[in-house]
Amino acid sequence: MLEFSNVDKWYGDYRALDGINAQVAAGEVVVVCGPSGSGKSTMIRTVNRLEPIQGGVIRVEGRDVHDRGCDINALRARIGFVFQQFNLFPHLSVRENVMLSPVKVGGMRPDEAEALARELLEKVGLAHKIDAMPANLSGGQQQRVAIARALAQRPPILLFDEPTSALDPEMVGEVLAVMKQLARDGMTMLVVTHEMGFARDVADRIWFMDQGRILEDTTPQAFFTAPAHPRAQRFLSDVLRTDDVTGAMVPAGQMAPAAHAARCAA
Amino acid sequence: MLDILHQYGVMFLIGSWPNGPIGGFAATLILAGLGLTLSFPIAVVLGLARLSPIKPVRWAASAWVIAFRGVPLVMIIFWAYFVVPLLTGTTVPAFLTALCAIVAYESAFLAEIVRAGIQGLPGGQTEAARASGLSYAQTMRHVVLPQALTNMLPSLVNQFVSTIKATSIVYVIGVNEVTFAAQQVNSIELTHALQTYLILAGFYFAACYALSQLAQGLERRLAQRRLGLA
C-alpha cells in the first residue's frame, strides 16, 4: 500500500531523513514513535508531498508519488491526513468542512455528500454537532471532525501526524477510541504518536525512529518487552516504567498501580 | 450655509445634468464605485501573483505595485490624461481617464492588503486544503481567500474610504464631480468659500461614514457566523 525506498531528505545541510526503507501493507496499522526531532512528522508529511524529498522513491498503491505523470490532487484525495493542530476550516460549519472534499474533488452531488457527512459524523460520535462551527467545539471534538473530514475522501490509507499531542489528557481518550475503531474496521493507518498504550493495543507494527533513521521495525510485543537497539531501550525506559507489583508498563507521569493502591490504603 | 445648499444643492448633487454630463456627488459616487468594483478583482489577482512561485509572474506583479505606489495620484492622473489617448488613438473622455488612473492606483494598494491577508493565515489551512485534494485554485477560492479577505476587512475599508476621497483630485483634468461643482459654486459666490467647502466636506463625510457603517455591519455578521451565533 505504502512503500519508502531509500528516502533521503535534507533541510539545507541538516539531514532530516536518512535512507528510510519501510512498507505498510494494506490493512496494517503502523505506529511511528521516537524522540523529538527524529524525523517522524517529516517522514509522514513526505508521503502526500507536503514536504519534498531529495532522494529515494515513495510509492502509494504502487505508484511513485513524484512521477511526472502523477496528478498530485488525485493522489492527495486518496490519502487521508489528520493534523496535530486539527486545521479545520473556521469559516465553514462542521457539515461544510466534511463535505468540501467529496463535492469539490470527488465530484459528489451535494445531497449525497451531506448523507455521507452525516454517516461519518455519526461514526465519530458527533452527529449532533453537524451544524456547529469549529469555534464551538472542544479540541477533542475538532479532531474527531478532522478525522471524519479525512474519511469523507474514502481513502484507502489514513496518515495521522501526532493527532492527540495538542489535546488535554481527558480528550485524548475520545480521539484514540475513534482511531481504535477505524483500526478494527480494517483501515490502513500510519500513525505518528507518543501514545504508547495505543501502540501496544492496536498497532500491527512499530517503527522506532531517531535522527532520521528507522532503528526498529518490529511487532509491539517485541518492541515493548525486548527492544534491540540501545537507543530504543533508553527511549522506553524514559517513557515507560515497570510497575513493581503487577509488572505492567506504566507511562511516565502516571502513578504506578501498586503505589496508587498503597496511597489509597494509607 | 443652508441658503447655499438650497440654491446650489442640485449642482452639488448632479452637476449640470441634464444640460451636460452627469456631475456632482452622483459622479463622485459613480467614479468611486466603478473604481472599487474594477480595482478589487485586479488587486486579488495581483496579490496572488505577488505570491506566485513562477518568477516572471511575481516580478510583473511586483513591478506594477512598486510603480503605482511610488507616484502621487495626481501625477498618475496627469500622466494618464496624456498617455491614454496615445495608446488608444482616440480622444478619451476625462471621466474614463480618471477611472483608469484610479483603478491602477488603488489596485496596487489593495493588492498589498490582499497579500497581507493571505500570508497572515496559518499555514495549516492551506496544508489541510491541499492535503484533501483541493487544487491551488480551489484552495484559494474556498479556503484561503474567504478567510484572508474577512480578516483584512478593516484594511480594505480603509482603502475604499481613501478611494472615495481620492476622487476629489480628478477635477484637475476637468472631470465634473462634487469638488469641481464646489469650485464652480465658489467662483459664483466668491465670498462664502468656507461654507461652500464645508458643504463639500459634508458630502465626502456622508459617503465615507456610510461605507464605514456598512463595513462594520458586515464585519459583525461575519464574526457572528464564525462563532455559530448567526
Side-chain angles (χ1 to χ4, degrees):
Chain A
M1 173 72 70
L2 169 62
E3 185 188 345
F4 294 91
S5 293
N6 288 317
V7 173
D8 281 319
K9 181 180 171 57
W10 303 79
Y11 285 117
D13 289 331
Y14 175 71
R15 191 159 202 168
L17 294 177
D18 187 353
I20 301 284
N21 276 296
Q23 297 88 37
V24 179
E28 259 199 318
V29 174
V30 175
V31 166
V32 186
C33 63
S36 291
S38 53
K40 323 184 284 295
S41 287
T42 306
M43 182 184 72
I44 203 172
R45 285 161 62 90
T46 58
V47 176
N48 65 352
R49 288 170 59 174
L50 286 176
E51 301 278 354
I53 58 174
Q54 278 74 45
V57 180
I58 299 172
R59 285 194 185 83
V60 174
E61 295 183 295
R63 284 196 308 262
D64 178 0
V65 308
H66 290 92
D67 185 43
R68 293 237 167 254
C70 171
D71 179 356
I72 184 66
N73 298 317
L75 167 78
R76 283 171 173 160
R78 301 278 298 160
I79 301 171
F81 201 101
V82 179
F83 294 86
Q84 181 176 349
Q85 301 296 337
F86 334 136
N87 289 335
L88 290 183
F89 307 130
H91 62 301
L92 300 177
S93 67
V94 163
R95 171 199 279 108
E96 288 161 341
N97 262 278
V98 179
M99 280 173 65
L100 188 64
S101 183
V103 171
K104 299 295 172 189
V105 185
M108 211 184 248
R109 276 202 341 260
D111 50 322
E112 282 175 19
E114 174 148 2
L116 175 65
R118 272 186 208 281
E119 176 198 327
L120 292 171
L121 287 168
E122 182 79 55
K123 190 169 187 180
V124 302
L126 288 171
H128 60 295
K129 290 284 184 183
I130 192 166
D131 288 313
M133 301 298 283
N136 304 132
L137 303 176
S138 72
Q141 291 172 328
Q142 286 188 51
Q143 192 63 300
R144 285 187 279 153
V145 171
I147 294 174
R149 182 178 63 174
L151 287 171
Q153 294 164 225
R154 289 271 186 249
I157 182 168
L158 278 178
L159 306 177
F160 293 82
D161 184 4
E162 301 204 37
T164 57
S165 293
L167 298 172
D168 74 62
E170 286 177 333
M171 295 181 198
V172 168
E174 65 191 48
V175 173
L176 291 181
V178 170
M179 291 167 66
K180 282 180 191 171
Q181 183 58 47
L182 287 173
R184 262 180 250 126
D185 292 341
M187 175 66 77
T188 312
M189 295 161 64
L190 182 62
V191 184
V192 173
T193 185
H194 297 291
E195 292 292 323
M196 292 297 122
F198 175 83
R200 196 180 40 229
D201 295 339
V202 180
D204 294 312
R205 267 187 306 127
I206 293 184
W207 297 350
F208 174 76
M209 284 184 74
D210 186 37
Q211 297 185 334
R213 273 181 241 115
I214 296 180
L215 299 179
E216 295 244 14
D217 180 353
T218 55
T219 61
Q221 171 79 346
F223 183 70
F224 286 108
T225 52
H229 203 280
R231 186 66 188 84
Q233 291 163 6
R234 203 168 75 224
F235 176 77
L236 281 176
S237 68
D238 287 336
V239 169
L240 299 171
R241 293 173 294 117
T242 308
D243 180 63
D244 305 304
V245 173
T246 64
M249 297 290 243
V250 177
Q254 275 184 21
M255 207 176 274
H260 182 77
R263 174 77 76 86
C264 290
Chain B
M1 199 155 83
L2 278 176
D3 28 74
I4 293 182
L5 201 56
H6 179 78
Q7 201 172 354
Y8 300 104
V10 178
M11 189 186 268
F12 269 115
L13 279 174
I14 54 173
S16 50
W17 194 77
N19 301 317
I22 192 156
F25 193 51
T28 295
L29 291 178
I30 293 170
L31 187 59
L34 278 177
L36 291 173
T37 5
L38 291 173
S39 64
F40 188 60
I42 295 173
V44 172
V45 172
L46 276 174
L48 288 170
R50 283 270 269 166
L51 295 169
S52 170
I54 308 165
K55 281 212 181 97
V57 171
R58 203 167 62 230
W59 286 345
S62 302
W64 177 284
V65 169
I66 291 168
F68 285 107
R69 278 197 317 182
V71 182
L73 177 59
V74 70
M75 292 282 96
I76 297 173
I77 287 171
F78 272 136
W79 196 71
Y81 189 61
F82 296 113
V83 168
V84 174
L86 280 175
L87 284 176
T88 56
T90 60
T91 52
V92 182
F95 186 89
L96 214 57
T97 309
L99 184 63
C100 290
I102 284 175
V103 167
Y105 182 73
E106 290 300 329
S107 66
F109 287 86
L110 289 170
E112 287 298 273
I113 295 173
V114 169
R115 181 171 74 93
I118 294 170
Q119 288 184 311
L121 276 190
Q125 289 294 300
T126 311
E127 283 191 349
R130 296 308 309 268
S132 63
L134 290 164
S135 69
Y136 173 80
Q138 288 173 322
T139 302
M140 288 298 146
R141 158 94 178 76
H142 297 290
V143 175
V144 174
L145 284 177
Q147 294 186 64
L149 297 177
T150 307
N151 287 347
M152 296 314 280
L153 207 50
S155 264
L156 290 171
V157 172
N158 228 21
Q159 203 58 39
F160 290 173
V161 164
S162 176
T163 305
I164 293 174
K165 295 188 293 178
T167 61
S168 65
I169 296 175
V170 303
Y171 78 90
V172 299
I173 55 171
V175 177
N176 195 344
E177 38 72 65
V178 72
T179 305
F180 191 82
Q183 295 203 309
Q184 281 183 316
V185 169
N186 193 38
S187 61
I188 300 169
E189 278 294 304
L190 290 175
T191 51
H192 296 111
L194 178 64
Q195 289 91 321
T196 308
Y197 287 115
L198 270 175
I199 291 170
L200 176 65
F203 276 108
Y204 280 113
F205 186 81
C208 296
Y209 186 72
L211 184 59
S212 298
Q213 289 298 101
L214 218 96
Q216 206 172 52
L218 183 61
E219 258 187 88
R220 194 169 47 235
R221 264 224 327 266
L222 289 169
Q224 290 202 314
R225 162 142 167 89
R226 273 233 188 167
L227 294 172
L229 300 168

